[in-house]
Amino acid sequence: MAKLNTNSNAYIIVYSAILVVIVAFLLAFVYQALKPRQDANVELDIKKQILYSLNIRGLDGQEAEAKYAEVVKSEEKAGDQLYYACEIDGQKKYVFPLKGMGLWGGISAFVAVNDDLNTIYGAYFNHESETAGLGAEIKDSQAWQEKFQGKKIFSDDGNLAIGVVKKVENPASEVDCVTGATLTSNGVSDMLREGLKSYITNLKVK
């Protein structure tokens, strides 16, 4: 019986191929086993972000699930845009998911608006990849996010007024930009103006 030559190219290729197949199988198995938990974590994170926009923070997973079930009454559509109909202390709120572009990648937000469809109740911003300490402040700074509370989306004459600016001239509608992150701040401003106008226009004709 011929001795197996473990130094031959054929042996090395076959051995490597078998290892690759085994590793691929194990990775696929682990992925499928963990996917339900990963999906649940993603869903919980989205629920927490919606709660953050409603100024509800500091809840653990179970508390967040219960609070979400309490305040988020339904998922609705305005045109083809999904939004969340909510209720806080007996008052109706709309939470609008928004998407835009920052300096290095995508940015997103959940913005809660009062029933007047003109006053921001709260906001939470997120990003895919922004510079730590600069553009990342849109996500990391709760104090900056809280500056949007009470801001008006439209001026008294009906013009779009909400914005993120270098120098605030209209404190009723404007928020100062993140220091050192002008392009990201501009992206936030564009996202708010375009996204909120679209949602509110669709809601008013619904």
Side-chain angles (χ1 to χ4, degrees), residues 110-123:
F110 286 101
V111 179
V113 176
N114 288 343
D115 198 25
D116 64 359
L117 293 176
N118 191 39
T119 307
I120 293 178
Y121 180 72

Side-chain angles (χ1 to χ4, degrees), residues 13 26 47 73 82 135 151 153 193 196-197 199:
I13 290 171
L26 290 174
K47 289 179 178 179
K73 300 304 181 182
L82 175 71
K151 298 299 181 184
I153 300 168
R193 292 173 65 85
L196 291 176
K197 180 181 179 181
Y199 270 109

Side-chain angles (χ1 to χ4, degrees), residues 51 71 75 107 159:
L51 292 176
V71 302
E75 295 182 8
I107 56 177
N159 291 321

Side-chain angles (χ1 to χ4, degrees), residues 2-188:
K3 184 179 179 181
L4 184 63
N5 182 4
T6 58
N7 293 318
S8 68
N9 289 337
Y11 175 86
I12 293 172
I13 290 171
V14 171
Y15 181 77
S16 299
I18 292 173
L19 278 181
V20 168
V21 170
I22 292 173
V23 171
F25 174 80
L26 290 174
L27 288 175
F29 176 79
V30 170
Y31 173 78
Q32 289 299 325
L34 294 179
K35 191 174 187 303
R37 181 178 296 180
Q38 292 171 340
D39 291 344
N41 287 339
V42 170
E43 184 178 352
L44 176 60
D45 184 58
I46 292 173
K47 289 179 178 179
K48 283 185 174 181
Q49 291 184 41
I50 292 170
L51 292 176
Y52 295 159
S53 75
L54 292 165
N55 308 317
I56 302 170
R57 298 175 183 253
L59 303 180
D60 63 24
Q62 190 172 2
E63 292 170 337
E65 289 280 9
K67 195 66 177 177
Y68 182 89
E70 175 190 336
V71 302
V72 179
K73 300 304 181 182
S74 61
E75 295 182 8
E76 306 285 348
K77 277 198 170 183
D80 60 352
Q81 296 175 297
L82 175 71
Y83 70 93
Y84 302 86
C86 306
E87 189 175 300
I88 301 290
D89 297 328
Q91 297 183 348
K92 190 171 184 179
K93 312 292 179 187
Y94 302 92
V95 175
F96 303 127
L98 306 177
K99 290 189 178 296
M101 283 298 298
L103 174 60
W104 300 113
I107 56 177
S108 60
F110 286 101
V111 179
V113 176
N114 288 343
D115 198 25
D116 64 359
L117 293 176
N118 191 39
T119 307
I120 293 178
Y121 180 72
Y124 176 79
F125 298 94
N126 206 342
H127 63 84
E128 294 177 7
S129 179
E130 294 297 325
T131 307
L134 298 175
E137 285 293 290
I138 68 170
K139 174 184 178 182
D140 299 334
S141 176
Q142 180 179 340
W144 187 75
Q145 295 173 8
E146 289 175 346
K147 291 182 179 182
F148 289 87
Q149 296 175 13
K151 298 299 181 184
K152 299 297 182 182
I153 300 168
F154 300 95
S155 61
D156 291 339
D157 56 8
N159 291 321
L160 195 61
I162 188 68
V164 179
V165 296
K166 285 186 177 180
K167 183 180 179 182
V168 173
E169 295 182 352
N170 180 10
S173 298
E174 296 173 345
V175 171
D176 55 309
C177 68
V178 176
T179 303
T182 301
L183 292 179
T184 299
S185 297
N186 289 344
V188 171

